[in-house]
Amino acid sequence: MDILVTGGCGFIGSHVAERFYKEGHNVFIIDNLTSGLRSNINFKHKFYEMAVEDMRCEDIFCINKFNVVVHLAAQTSVPASFENPYKDTVSNVTGLINMLSLSERYGVKRFIFISSAAVYGDPDQLPTDEDTETNPMAPYGISKLVGEMYCHKWHEIYGLSTVCLRLSNAYGPRQAAKGEGGVVSVFMKQILDGQSLTVYGDGKQTRDFIYVEDIADAVYRCVESGFCGVMNLSANTEISINDLIDTLAHRADIKEALHKEKRSGDISRSSMDNSRIKRELNWLPKYNFEEGLQKTFDWYASIYKKQEKETEASKKSETTKPRSKLADYAIPFVESLLGFIAVIFIERLFNRGDHFFIDLKLLYIILMGIAYGTKHSIMAVALSSSLFIISNAGYGRDLISLFYDPNSLLHIAYYLFAGFSVGYTIDMKNRKVKSQDLKIEATEEKLEFVTKVYDETRIVKNELQKQIMASQDSFGKIYSIIKELDTFEPEDVFSSAVQVMEKILKVNSIAIHVMSRNGLFARLVANSGSLSWHISKSMKVEDSPALKYIMESKEIFVNKKLDPSLPIMMAPITDNGKTVAIISILELDFDNINLYYQNLFKVASDMISSSLSKAHRYQEATNDSRYISGTAILNRDSFEKLLHGKMQTKEKEMANYVLLCVNAADPADNLEHRISNTIRDRDYIGLGKDNRLYILLSNTSEKEAGAVTKRLTDKGISTSIPAGADLIA
Ligand code: UDP
C-alpha cells in the first residue's frame, strides 16, 4: 500500500513511517521540517518538504495514489498555542482540513488523525474514557478537538473512513528536548549534560506515559481495522514526575532535582482508559515504563557519545585546516626563496654570474612565473634585479652609476618583461582553468538535478503504468474483452455483446433487440442476467420515436429527459449500412450520462457491429455447408453448435430458448416450408443427432412457446418438448 505520513520526519511520525516501511509498504512523507529532521528517516521513502496547509499539497495527491493517510503534522507545543493561537490554528485546523479534503477527493481509503489527551482538559474522572466530556484548556486542545469534529463530519458526509487517536504523553527515542519535547526528553538531556533536573511544582503531578513504538504499532493496526471514531491511545498508567526521577536514578547519576514554581495550566493528574483501543485493534502496549525508559535512555546516551566524538573530530579538523591553508600560502614563498638561494649559490660557485652560458636569474624568474603566476614572478624579478645590481657593484662599479648604465637598465627591463609576460600568461591560463572548473561544477550540479527529476518522473511514470495496467480500462483488459466478440456465430455475437457492454460500460442493464426482416419490429435476443428493469420482448418501430430516430439517423439515442418508459441510451448495430439490432442501456448512474460515456457506448456498439458483420459474412460464405441442401434446415453439426451457444446463454440467464421436437416420422416429408411460414425470423429448424427435426424458438419461455405450438398444430404439425437438449446436441 502507499502510505502518506504527514509530519513523518518528527518524533512520532518517523517511528510510524518506519513501522509501515518495515511492514513492506511504500512510505511518502510531507513535512515542513520546522521541528522534524530528515536524519530521523533512514529508509527508502519519498519526501516532500511542504506545510500541510499549503494548497500545493494537491499536486502530491494528484501524482500519487495514497491508500492511507496518517496525519501527524501539527504544531505540538501547548505554550506556543497560547503565544500564537493563529499559527496553531493554521497548522492544526487548516492543515487538517486540507489533508482531509484531499484524501476524500483522491480516494484515500483510511484517514488516521493523531489527536491528543489535551481535548479532555483537566478531567475529574480517572482513568478518562472516550465518553468523558471534552473541555480543552489551551488553543492546542481546542484545535485538536475541532480536528476530530472535522474527521467525524467527513466520515458522515463523504463516507471517508476516519479514526482519531487521542494520545497520552508520548516518550521515546528522537523526541526533542526543546519545543515539542516532553518531560522525559528534557530530563534525559539534563542528566547527560550533568545538569540538575528542573521540576515544576512538587513533582506529585501524574502523567500516562506511552512508549513511541507502542504508538506506531497501534497506528499500524488502525489501517486494518474498520473502526471509525475516537480512541484513547495510552498505557493506562499513572506515573508521577517524582516516580519518573526515581526510575531514572536507577540508570544514571542525577545531580539533584531543583523544584520551581508550578507551570500555569499544568493539570495535576492524567490517566486514560485504553480498553476501547485494546478491544478494537487487538492491541496491547508491549513496553512497560521501565523498559521504555531504558530504551530511551540508551538512545540518548548513544546520541551524546556520537555528538561528543563528532565535536572532538571537528575540533581537530578545525585546528588542522588553518595549518594547511597557511602551508598553501607559505610554500610558494619558501620555494621562491630556495630558488633564489640556489641561483646565488650556483653563480658564486662558478664565480661568473651573468657570464654563465644561461642567465640563471632569468631562468629563476621564468620558473617562478610558470609555477605561481605574476605575483611570484614579479617578486623573483625584484630579487634577481637586486642580485644583478649587487653583483655588478661587486665588480668595482659604483652602485649609482649602474642605474645610468643602459646595459644594466636593459637587463632589468629584460627581467621585468620576462616576469610579466610569463606570469600574466600563466595567470590567464589559471583563470581560464578556474572558470572551466566552475562551469564543470555548475554543469555537474545541473546534471544531478536533472537526474533527480528524471528519476522521480520515472518513478511516477512506472506508477502510472502500473495503475493503467491494473485498471479496468487497461489495454490488456480491453483486449480480453474484445476477444469475447471473436465468434462466427451471429447468435453468439449477441450474447457476447451483452457481456462486453457490461464490462466496458460497467453496467448490469444491457438489452439487445434484433430487427425483424421487414424492419417493423425489434425482438429481444439477449439481456443482462440480473436485469430487474422491465424489458419489452418486442418493440414496434412505429410506436417508438426513439427506435425510429435510430433507424433513420443510425445515431445513438440519449434519453435526456429521463423518460422512465425509455432506456437511458440506445445504439444501432449495423450490418452493411442497415440497422439490424438495437443495443440499450436500461439503467445508469446519473453521473455517467455524459459525453465520455456516450463515446464509449458508441465505440463498443461499433465493435459489436463489425463483429456481427464478420459473422454474417462468414455465414453467407458457409451457408452451403450449414444447411441441408435446398432447404432451410440446419444440418446436424451446425444445429449442434447453435444449440450449444443457446444453452450457454441460458445458463448465464442472458436469453431463454425453447426446443421443440417435430413429431413426424420422416423429416423429409416437406414439413420444412410449413414450419418456416409459422416460426419467427430468429427461430431455427435443424436436424438432431437422432435424425429428427427440431425447432429452436429463440428468446422464448415455455409459456410463450404455447402460442407457437398452437399455430403449428393448426397447420397439422405436432410437436413436443424433448426431455433434454443434451440428447440431441
Ligand atoms: N515537567 C517538569 N520539568 C520539566 C518539564 C516538565 O517538571 O522540565 C513537568 C510539567 O510541569 C508537567 C509534566 O512534567 O507537569 C509533564 O510535562 P510535559 O510538558 O511533558 O507534558 P504535558 O504537561 O503537556 O502533559
Side-chain angles (χ1 to χ4, degrees):
M1 275 197 283
D2 287 0
I3 317 282
L4 171 68
V5 183
T6 71
C9 292
F11 157 49
I12 302 175
S14 61
H15 285 274
V16 169
E18 194 173 333
R19 177 62 194 268
F20 278 104
Y21 171 76
K22 282 181 179 166
E23 298 289 345
H25 299 290
N26 302 322
V27 173
F28 298 77
I29 290 174
I30 297 182
D31 201 307
N32 63 358
L33 300 180
T34 45
S35 55
L37 296 169
R38 285 304 309 269
S39 56
N40 281 344
I41 305 290
N42 295 309
F43 52 85
K44 188 173 168 268
H45 68 288
K46 180 93 192 71
F47 176 70
Y48 300 99
E49 187 176 342
M50 205 174 275
V52 276
E53 62 272 17
D54 196 317
M55 287 297 133
R56 286 173 304 163
C57 284
E58 176 148 18
D59 298 341
I60 302 171
F61 277 73
C62 216
I63 57 166
N64 299 296
K65 176 100 187 76
F66 302 128
N67 305 92
V68 176
V69 172
V70 184
H71 182 56
L72 279 139
Q75 187 294 113
T76 51
S77 157
V78 174
S81 77
F82 274 111
E83 281 158 26
N84 197 339
Y86 173 78
K87 211 170 156 193
D88 180 83
T89 314
V90 169
S91 181
N92 294 1
V93 180
T94 315
L96 166 88
I97 298 170
N98 198 20
M99 288 301 112
L100 209 50
S101 314
L102 290 173
S103 298
E104 181 271 314
R105 222 175 302 148
Y106 288 90
V108 168
K109 297 279 171 291
R110 189 84 164 130
F111 189 92
I112 302 163
F113 171 53
I114 306 301
S115 181
S116 163
V119 298
Y120 294 119
D122 199 355
D124 300 329
Q125 180 209 326
L126 285 181
T128 319
D129 67 20
E130 290 85 351
D131 298 325
T132 308
E133 201 188 332
T134 51
N135 183 19
M137 289 164 63
Y140 172 72
I142 298 172
S143 58
K144 284 287 175 188
L145 190 59
V146 172
E148 287 186 4
M149 286 166 155
Y150 267 102
C151 287
H152 174 67
K153 276 291 154 206
W154 251 242
H155 174 58
E156 210 174 74
I157 302 169
Y158 302 109
L160 177 66
S161 173
T162 58
V163 61
C164 307
L165 300 174
R166 291 176 176 167
L167 228 66
S168 64
N169 288 60
Y171 72 99
R174 301 184 203 143
Q175 188 173 25
K178 280 190 270 175
E180 61 164 316
V183 63
V184 174
S185 60
V186 174
F187 281 1
M188 294 281 172
K189 187 177 180 323
Q190 288 173 340
I191 292 171
L192 291 161
D193 282 346
Q195 296 170 347
S196 325
L197 304 187
T198 340
V199 180
Y200 300 115
D202 56 10
K204 286 184 185 155
Q205 66 268 42
T206 61
R207 294 293 184 268
D208 188 344
F209 291 103
I210 178 160
Y211 187 61
V212 68
E213 282 184 37
D214 283 329
I215 298 174
D217 185 36
V219 172
Y220 174 71
R221 282 163 189 262
C222 260
V223 173
E224 291 302 317
S225 138
F227 179 88
C228 290
V230 291
M231 288 193 278
N232 287 341
L233 176 47
S234 68
N236 197 2
T237 50
E238 203 182 344
I239 293 162
S240 73
I241 302 304
N242 291 335
D243 293 339
L244 166 65
I245 296 172
D246 287 347
T247 322
L248 282 171
H250 290 122
R251 283 159 184 83
D253 287 338
I254 294 178
K255 228 176 158 192
E256 61 180 323
L258 273 180
H259 286 265
K260 284 192 176 172
E261 204 182 318
K262 186 185 162 203
R263 275 191 331 201
S264 76
D266 251 7
I267 58 167
S268 51
R269 289 178 66 197
S270 173
S271 160
M272 286 158 77
D273 182 290
N274 61 5
S275 29
R276 182 182 286 180
I277 197 162
K278 279 181 178 167
R279 192 179 58 242
E280 291 295 337
L281 304 185
N282 198 16
W283 166 90
L284 269 179
K286 287 195 191 82
Y287 298 90
N288 64 32
F289 191 55
E290 282 75 23
E291 287 165 344
L293 212 57
Q294 182 65 55
K295 278 183 91 125
T296 312
F297 185 80
D298 292 345
W299 183 82
Y300 277 99
S302 72
I303 287 294
Y304 260 72
K305 258 191 200 149
K306 212 169 131 195
Q307 272 175 2
E308 264 172 18
K309 268 189 196 159
E310 276 171 9
T311 347
E312 237 166 66
S314 77
K315 263 187 201 158
K316 264 187 197 161
S317 70
E318 262 170 33
T319 44
T320 51
K321 252 189 184 168
R323 211 180 297 158
S324 82
K325 259 190 180 172
L326 189 72
D328 285 351
Y329 185 75
I331 284 170
F333 286 100
V334 175
E335 280 184 5
S336 177
L337 210 64
L338 288 175
F340 186 59
I341 292 167
V343 170
I344 300 173
F345 179 74
I346 298 167
E347 283 189 354
R348 285 278 164 267
L349 195 70
F350 291 94
N351 205 19
R352 294 297 300 168
D354 50 342
H355 295 112
F356 202 67
F357 67 93
I358 178 170
D359 186 346
L360 284 179
K361 291 187 274 303
L362 183 65
L363 187 67
Y364 161 64
I365 291 167
I366 292 171
L367 285 177
M368 287 316 291
I370 290 173
Y372 300 112
T374 322
K375 202 163 91 185
H376 286 275
S377 67
I378 294 304
M379 206 174 78
V381 168
L383 289 172
S384 300
S385 303
S386 314
L387 182 65
F388 172 79
I389 291 164
I390 291 163
S391 329
N392 279 302
Y395 289 119
R397 292 187 60 179
D398 177 10
L399 197 65
I400 303 293
S401 71
L402 279 172
F403 286 98
Y404 296 105
D405 176 5
N407 197 26
S408 316
L409 284 178
L410 199 69
H411 228 96
I412 293 169
Y414 173 48
Y415 287 161
L416 264 174
F417 175 75
F420 261 122
S421 50
V422 174
Y424 179 77
T425 317
I426 293 299
D427 280 354
M428 284 295 283
K429 194 201 91 200
N430 285 347
R431 238 174 268 145
K432 248 189 198 164
V433 170
K434 207 171 177 184
S435 99
Q436 291 297 342
D437 282 351
L438 284 174
K439 266 187 199 158
I440 291 171
E441 214 172 278
T443 316
E444 273 172 356
E445 260 175 38
K446 265 187 206 160
L447 178 72
E448 199 184 318
F449 175 74
V450 173
T451 315
K452 211 169 136 197
V453 171
Y454 169 76
D455 284 344
E456 283 186 10
T457 316
R458 204 164 40 88
I459 292 168
V460 172
K461 190 196 121 210
N462 288 345
E463 192 50 44
L464 284 174
Q465 210 164 21
K466 250 199 284 170
Q467 283 175 13
I468 289 170
M469 290 317 281
S471 86
Q472 276 295 314
D473 297 333
S474 77
F475 294 124
K477 290 245 167 63
I478 287 178
Y479 176 72
S480 72
I481 291 170
I482 293 168
K483 254 327 240 170
E484 287 179 31
L485 287 172
D486 205 5
T487 170
F488 291 125
E489 193 60 60
E491 289 296 326
D492 291 347
V493 171
F494 290 124
S495 53
S496 302
V498 171
Q499 293 175 15
V500 166
M501 282 287 184
E502 284 176 347
K503 281 184 194 159
I504 293 181
L505 302 171
K506 298 185 190 89
V507 282
N508 266 329
S509 58
I510 300 291
I512 299 182
H513 290 79
V514 170
M515 300 306 301
S516 62
R517 273 193 200 121
N518 56 19
L520 299 177
F521 290 95
R523 267 191 252 282
L524 185 69
V525 282
N527 58 265
S528 295
S530 57
L531 208 61
S532 56
W533 212 75
H534 168 73
I535 332 163
S536 336
K537 287 256 166 170
S538 162
M539 296 189 284
K540 204 172 173 189
V541 177
E542 197 56 34
D543 298 343
S544 167
L547 252 184
K548 245 191 192 163
Y549 167 78
I550 293 170
M551 298 290 289
E552 282 163 15
S553 66
K554 304 207 170 37
E555 293 288 333
I556 287 185
F557 164 79
V558 182
N559 182 358
K560 288 188 183 135
K561 290 181 186 158
L562 299 178
D563 180 344
S565 66
L566 288 170
I568 299 292
M569 283 186 203
M570 295 165 92
I573 307 278
T574 56
D575 181 15
N576 234 348
K578 195 176 154 207
T579 303
V580 291
I582 305 291
I583 189 151
S584 317
I585 305 174
L586 306 174
E587 280 174 333
L588 191 62
D589 280 351
F590 185 73
D591 289 351
N592 283 335
I593 308 176
N594 54 38
L595 204 58
Y596 168 76
Y597 205 82
Q598 275 179 48
N599 287 336
L600 204 61
F601 187 39
K602 168 100 178 73
V603 170
S605 46
D606 285 351
M607 257 159 43
I608 294 164
S609 293
S610 85
S611 276
L612 191 68
S613 299
K614 190 179 72 183
H616 277 156
R617 295 298 82 80
Y618 175 76
Q619 296 232 316
E620 274 165 26
T622 55
N623 257 352
D624 288 352
S625 59
R626 281 161 53 83
Y627 289 93
I628 296 173
S629 130
T631 71
I633 303 171
L634 285 165
N635 63 27
R636 256 183 239 111
D637 285 349
S638 306
F639 191 57
E640 190 180 326
K641 251 193 225 159
L642 177 79
L643 200 54
H644 263 300
K646 290 279 178 193
M647 280 157 72
Q648 276 176 4
T649 320
K650 190 173 180 175
E651 261 167 36
K652 290 178 195 155
E653 295 178 25
M654 285 162 58
N656 206 350
Y657 74 94
V658 169
L659 188 67
L660 298 175
C661 175
V662 180
N663 300 325
D666 179 9
D669 70 350
N670 220 8
L671 276 174
E672 178 231 333
H673 287 298
R674 277 186 287 153
I675 298 172
S676 298
N677 291 338
T678 316
I679 59 176
R680 301 158 307 181
D681 288 353
R682 300 211 79 81
D683 297 337
Y684 297 88
I685 313 170
L687 200 61
K689 265 199 234 167
D690 54 2
N691 244 8
R692 299 181 69 164
L693 211 54
Y694 287 88
I695 303 170
L696 194 149
L697 303 176
S698 298
N699 222 34
T700 310
S701 65
E702 286 195 12
K703 207 171 138 200
E704 290 159 339
V708 185
T709 46
K710 189 174 175 302
R711 280 207 306 274
L712 287 165
T713 318
D714 290 348
K715 293 204 171 173
I717 304 159
S718 153
T719 54
S720 59
I721 295 180
D726 53 329
L727 292 175
I728 54 135

